[in-house]
Every structure is written in structure tokens, then in C-alpha cells.
Amino acid sequence: MATQRRNPLTGEWIIVSPHRISRPWGGEKSSSTGQGFTKVSTYLSPGATRSNGAVNPDYTSTFVFPNDFSALIPIQQPQQIQDSSAASTDSSKNTGKNTGTSPTDSSTNTGSTPSSELFQSLPAGGECHVMCFSPHSDLSLPLMGEEEIQIVIREWMRLSDQLKYNLYVQIFENKGAMVGCSNSHPHCQIWSSSFMPYLISLEDTNQREYFAKHSSPLLVDYLEEELKCKSRVVEESSHWVALVPYWAKWPFELLVLPRRHVTKLRQLTEEEVVDLSGTMKRYLTRYDNLFECSFPYSMGWHEAPNNTADSSPWQLHAHYFPPLLRSASVKKHIAGYEMLAQCQRDLTAEDAARRLRECDQHVHFTRRNAK
């Protein structure tokens, strides 16, 4: 029987239909191999010339630079930031209002669009950066050493702190052409915005409402319940847990949580950083070993926004959204009913977690025969 599961972070309901998992597939088949396995020269390589004429240094570790095609541009005049803890809980009023600019301000109108509540526009200020994980185009995160991954994590922490003058800092990685990655050199992006993005606004509202009712952070309570049954837990360590969330939308989606209540990346202790590097390497190795491919995904860290005096309702966490469903070439599509009505999944979260637990977390499939 089909059921619905609610995502308490966003309020979204997901249909779960496990009886459909064996239906025949004659649709599109894609390739998910390549990224992170093949040594190639790209415009992200050390010493390469990028499209704007800038020449990369001969970097030997991580390399961070402003995105040459930034989606967000700094707003010249600083805007007043509103405390989200005091803001309206109506998430339909996207927190672009935090820029302090009126929706009816003539400076925000485009063309001949009339100024009214039906045609609202607000500035989208901010900055976009790119970070290469290493100088090696053939080393994705699961193939890097734990000490190398620690350097990446510490750089995430530094950027989270350095860019905190913006209202929100979003760190994310698109791995693989299947999820829209335009360059095969392993890298991530950091977009810091003068406004609170819509999905972050939903998470902020729901975590604050839960905290007001229970006097405890939503994700702290959620992890406590998950650790009682462990049917959806994939990887555990002293400081971190990676699990398939009860409400997962994507087939092998992961939610990564610290055991300690912490609201921002920059608050992690050295022990938590070291422990996270090993935990990441293990669950990402499971990902690649599942279908013996460079497992594609979109991932990102969600931390408390920078406009609140009280971030207690928040819990730092990372989302992994991988599209693969049945094999290295068959991916989940969000279309039809899912695009027009409500998202649905075939594989249960419990079965997805079990399949990932059954994968080797220590030896990557490309190195099984290495001597």
C-alpha cells in the first residue's frame, strides 16, 4: 500500500509506493562514469587559463576564487538585515524582504511591469565562489585521503566565517554531468547572499516553530529517535551520523548530522573535523560502490542564517540528493505528477539504507585489485 511521509524541515509530503520498484524501464539511460576517475586538463587545473583570461596558480591543495560567471552580484549600498527569529513565520513571503527594499520600489521594477503585489521584485545581492578540492582532476572526495578531506572541511569553515557579513552562506557540490556539473575537475561552490533563500526560509520557519513548541531543536530530537531503531542509519562515528531520512525524496538521499548540537560549520571542533573526514570518506565510498560508478549527487550544508541573535532552534546538517535509482545509468526523474502535484518514490528509505550498508565502506571499487 502506498503511504505519505512528511518532511518536518519543509512541510512537504512524499508519496512512497514500494510496489512500483519492479516496473519495467524503457526510458532514458545516462552515463554516470568519468568524473573523479579520469585525469584530464580543464580550466580548473593548476596553471590553466580560465575563460576570462585569469590564470590559475600552480596550487597544491584547495584553490578558491570568485566565480567567473557569478549569479549573485554585491549590492552597492548595504541593506538592513532583519532578525529571522523575529520575522514572520509565513514562508510564502520569501525573506527577500530582509534586503530592506520595498517590493513596490520603482528601482526593482523591470520593463513596463506595473508596481503591485502581483509583480514583486527584490534585489538578489551576494557573491559566488568556486573551490577546487585538490589539484588532481582524477580524485573525487571518496578517493582522497582523510587528511586531504580535512583541508576541504576547514576551508568550508573558513569561508562560512569569512562571508558571514552576508545573510546566508550556501556551500554545495554538484558531482557529475547527470546533475548539471559543467566541469569534471572535483570542486564545489559557495554562494553567499544578501537574502535568505526560499528553502532555507522554510527550514528556518519549521525549526523555530518546533523549538517554540518543544524547547528542543527539531533535528536533535529527530536524530535521537533515528538512533533508537537504526533502520535508516548508514554510517555512524563518534561525532557524526549519516542516514537516509524517513521523508527522503531521492532514492539514496542522505542526511548527515552531528551528534552534538551545533548550528554553524565554523563552530566545529578539531575532533569533529577529523571524525567528519573519515565519516565522509566511508559513506561516499559506499555511494560509488553501490553501482560501481562515480556516484552523482547534489549536496549542500545547511547552517543557521547570519541574521539571528538566537540560532538555538537550528542544527547544522548536510543534504545529499543523488538521482540514480536502479543502476549507474537509470536515474529518477521529477516530472509529470511529481512536478505538477506531489513527489513520489518507489524505494523505501529503509531499503535504500540497507542497500548502502551492504556496500563496502573501506575499499573503493576502483582499488580492489590494487597491490
Side-chain angles (χ1 to χ4, degrees):
M1 184 180 84
T3 58
Q4 297 182 76
R5 297 186 180 187
R6 181 178 181 272
N7 181 344
L9 282 172
T10 64
E12 182 180 14
W13 287 86
I14 310 297
I15 300 171
V16 183
S17 311
H19 54 279
R20 298 180 76 240
I21 193 63
S22 59
R23 76 187 192 280
W25 179 261
E28 179 194 24
K29 292 189 177 181
S30 307
S31 173
S32 60
T33 59
Q35 180 168 338
F37 291 167
T38 307
K39 186 172 290 187
V40 294
S41 179
T42 75
Y43 65 81
L44 295 183
S45 300
T49 301
R50 304 201 302 274
S51 58
N52 65 348
V55 178
N56 297 333
D58 290 322
Y59 62 95
T60 58
S61 183
T62 57
F63 170 48
V64 180
F65 62 94
N67 195 314
D68 298 329
F69 300 93
S70 179
L72 302 174
I73 299 173
I75 297 175
Q76 294 302 316
Q77 297 198 356
Q79 305 292 330
Q80 182 179 1
I81 293 179
Q82 180 179 345
D83 188 334
S84 71
S85 62
S88 168
T89 58
D90 183 357
S91 59
S92 65
K93 301 175 183 177
N94 186 9
T95 48
K97 63 186 177 184
N98 288 327
T99 60
T101 305
S102 169
T104 58
D105 189 328
S106 61
S107 66
T108 66
N109 291 337
T110 56
S112 59
T113 301
S115 176
S116 78
E117 63 178 312
L118 299 180
F119 299 91
Q120 297 188 32
S121 177
L122 286 169
E127 307 165 58
C128 299
H129 293 81
V130 176
M131 183 175 88
C132 299
F133 294 144
S134 82
H136 306 291
S137 61
D138 58 342
L139 288 184
S140 57
L141 286 171
L143 293 173
M144 292 170 63
E146 291 185 22
E147 291 186 357
E148 294 172 305
I149 298 174
Q150 289 166 29
I151 294 173
V152 171
I153 298 169
R154 293 189 188 100
E155 194 68 0
W156 286 340
M157 295 169 64
R158 183 187 70 82
L159 291 165
S160 168
D161 185 56
Q162 178 179 306
L163 298 168
K164 63 185 178 185
Y165 54 82
N166 284 300
L167 199 156
Y168 194 74
V169 178
Q170 179 61 66
I171 296 169
F172 67 95
E173 177 194 4
N174 289 329
K175 182 191 176 197
M178 189 179 285
V179 294
C181 183
S182 61
N183 193 294
S184 62
H185 192 113
H187 67 284
C188 69
Q189 297 187 55
I190 305 93
W191 290 21
S192 53
S193 59
S194 63
F195 57 94
M196 194 189 305
Y198 176 67
L199 292 179
I200 305 306
S201 176
L202 288 179
E203 289 198 2
D204 185 69
T205 296
N206 284 295
Q207 288 182 95
R208 291 188 182 282
E209 289 181 350
Y210 183 93
F211 191 86
K213 182 178 180 181
H214 300 281
S215 300
S216 181
L218 185 157
L219 287 176
V220 170
D221 287 355
Y222 172 70
L223 180 58
E224 181 179 344
E225 292 301 314
E226 284 285 15
L227 291 175
K228 290 178 182 177
C229 68
K230 297 195 175 184
S231 62
R232 289 173 291 273
V233 173
V234 173
E235 196 70 51
E236 284 188 80
S237 65
S238 299
H239 299 281
W240 297 90
V241 178
L243 54 87
V244 179
Y246 174 76
W247 57 82
K249 177 189 301 185
W250 295 94
F252 295 96
E253 181 176 330
L254 282 180
L255 178 65
V256 181
L257 293 161
R259 292 182 183 268
R260 178 175 69 95
H261 181 210
V262 55
T263 64
K264 298 178 185 293
L265 270 168
R266 55 184 178 266
Q267 297 170 349
L268 295 180
T269 66
E270 182 61 17
E271 284 187 358
E272 288 168 331
V273 169
V274 171
D275 194 47
L276 177 58
S277 68
T279 305
M280 283 180 60
K281 184 174 176 64
R282 290 191 298 276
Y283 65 68
L284 292 177
T285 297
R286 291 182 191 271
Y287 261 177
D288 280 10
N289 285 344
L290 179 64
F291 296 131
E292 296 193 347
C293 68
S294 183
F295 202 75
Y297 57 73
S298 286
M299 71 78 62
W301 286 98
H302 281 179
E303 58 183 4
N306 296 317
N307 66 327
T308 175
D310 182 16
S311 60
S312 299
W314 268 81
Q315 173 72 324
L316 174 70
H317 58 283
H319 294 287
Y320 284 79
F321 301 135
L324 292 182
L325 174 60
R326 302 183 182 198
S327 68
S329 61
V330 176
K331 67 178 181 178
K332 174 182 174 64
H333 293 267
I334 291 185
Y337 185 90
E338 293 188 77
M339 184 175 288
L340 295 165
Q342 184 170 328
C343 280
Q344 177 271 337
R345 63 178 286 130
D346 298 343
L347 186 68
T348 67
E350 294 74 24
D351 282 342
R354 175 186 55 79
R355 291 184 61 182
L356 286 171
R357 285 196 302 267
E358 291 172 351
C359 295
D360 190 339
Q361 76 271 41
H362 297 297
V363 181
H364 195 274
F365 77 93
T366 60
R367 297 178 175 177
R368 285 176 187 158
N369 299 319
K371 295 182 179 180

